């Protein structure tokens, strides 16, 4: 039976406060539930410039920055983002229509998607990492670049790419699984601490 204590709390409330909290299993995020994470480390040979590819079961790939990318490290401020790849090529000009996605720009694994300019003068080119048609680019990051750093896997994505149906399984062949990627990051950290 519950008794009221002098402090006004009941014995049950005191018992609940002193018992170790039972940890309930964490509910997977929307991204973890519906997407498989793939990684490309050191894109185009540039150290730590890692990309994350979120592949949905319907073969759509969302291109994002990996957690270890320099843009996501503390102290970095994004000055601007540009989808203008060259004088003749802008990813913003991509116009997709119809069932067969007519008008979509075709991308190779190394095709640049956008350039990120930081306030410290650093410039980063984000690549597609997968072959396919460019379905859309995230124009929201042009107006509010901070969401790229705050929510890189969701609202701060770079672009959406649709691989060819026959290539949807092979598109991830050159990419790392989440476990392999974590091993790469650990090796990188160990190499850094060994040299310092």
């Amino acid at each position: 039976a519950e008794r009221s204590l002098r402090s006004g709390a009941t014995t049950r409330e005191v018992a609940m406060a002193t018992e170790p909290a039972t940890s309930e299993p964490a509910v997977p995020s929307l991204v973890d539930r519906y997407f498989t994470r793939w990684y490309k480390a050191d894109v185009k040979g540039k150290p730590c410039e890692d990309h994350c590819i979120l592949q949905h079961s319907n073969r759509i790939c969302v291109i994002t920055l990996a957690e270890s990318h320099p843009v996501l490290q503390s102290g970095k401020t994004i000055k601007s983002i540009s989808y203008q790849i060259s004088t003749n090529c802008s990813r913003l000009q991509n116009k997709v229509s119809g069932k067969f996605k007519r008008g979509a720009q075709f991308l190779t694994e190394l095709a640049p998607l956008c350039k990120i300019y930081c306030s410290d003068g650093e410039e980063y080119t984000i690549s597609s990492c997968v072959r396919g048609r460019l379905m859309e680019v995230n124009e929201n990051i042009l107006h509010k670049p901070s969401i790229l750093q705050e929510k890189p896997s969701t609202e701060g994505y770079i672009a959406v790419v649709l691989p060819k149906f026959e290539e949807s399984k092979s598109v991830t062949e050159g990419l790392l699984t989440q476990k392999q990627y974590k091993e790469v990051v650990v090796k990188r950290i160990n190499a850094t601490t060994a040299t310092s």
Side-chain angles (χ1 to χ4, degrees), residues 99-115:
K99 181 178 174 183
F100 298 104
K101 310 302 178 208
R102 286 185 192 87
Q105 296 174 10
F106 188 79
L107 305 170
T108 64
E109 296 91 343
L110 300 174
L113 291 171
C114 72
K115 292 184 180 186

Side-chain angles (χ1 to χ4, degrees), residues 13-165:
E13 289 170 332
V14 171
M16 287 175 64
T18 56
E19 287 176 14
T22 55
S23 61
E24 293 191 20
V27 178
S29 70
L30 181 87
V31 171
D32 292 328
R33 192 176 309 154
Y34 296 109
F35 292 86
T36 304
R37 290 177 189 263
W38 296 95
Y39 293 88
K40 183 78 172 175
D42 305 329
V43 175
K44 293 188 178 177
K46 296 179 179 174
C48 300
E49 289 195 28
D50 306 336
H51 296 22
C52 177
I53 297 89
L54 304 172
Q55 186 181 39
H56 194 275
S57 56
N58 67 4
R59 80 180 200 272
I60 290 259
C61 294
V62 180
I63 313 302
T64 67
L65 295 181
E67 306 87 58
S68 60
H69 195 284
V71 169
L72 300 181
Q73 302 312 308
S74 61
K76 284 278 185 188
T77 307
I78 299 173
K79 189 170 70 174
S80 66
I81 298 170
S82 174
Y83 283 109
Q84 187 73 39
I85 301 309
S86 66
T87 50
N88 297 330
C89 179
S90 172
R91 300 298 180 206
L92 292 173
Q93 300 303 313
N94 191 57
K95 299 288 181 237
V96 181
S97 66
K99 181 178 174 183
F100 298 104
K101 310 302 178 208
R102 286 185 192 87
Q105 296 174 10
F106 188 79
L107 305 170
T108 64
E109 296 91 343
L110 300 174
L113 291 171
C114 72
K115 292 184 180 186
I116 301 173
Y117 302 95
C118 293
S119 56
D120 62 2
E122 291 287 328
E123 178 184 314
Y124 302 94
T125 301
I126 309 305
S127 300
S128 172
C129 299
V130 292
R131 286 171 45 90
R133 293 184 182 277
L134 180 63
M135 294 294 99
E136 76 175 59
V137 294
N138 184 2
E139 292 186 43
N140 294 332
I141 62 174
L142 297 175
H143 312 295
K144 192 179 177 200
S146 62
I147 61 171
L148 180 63
Q149 292 170 308
E150 294 162 8
K151 301 174 182 180
S153 295
T154 54
E155 295 171 48
Y157 71 95
I158 305 292
V160 177
V161 177
L162 179 64
K164 287 183 178 177
F165 181 75

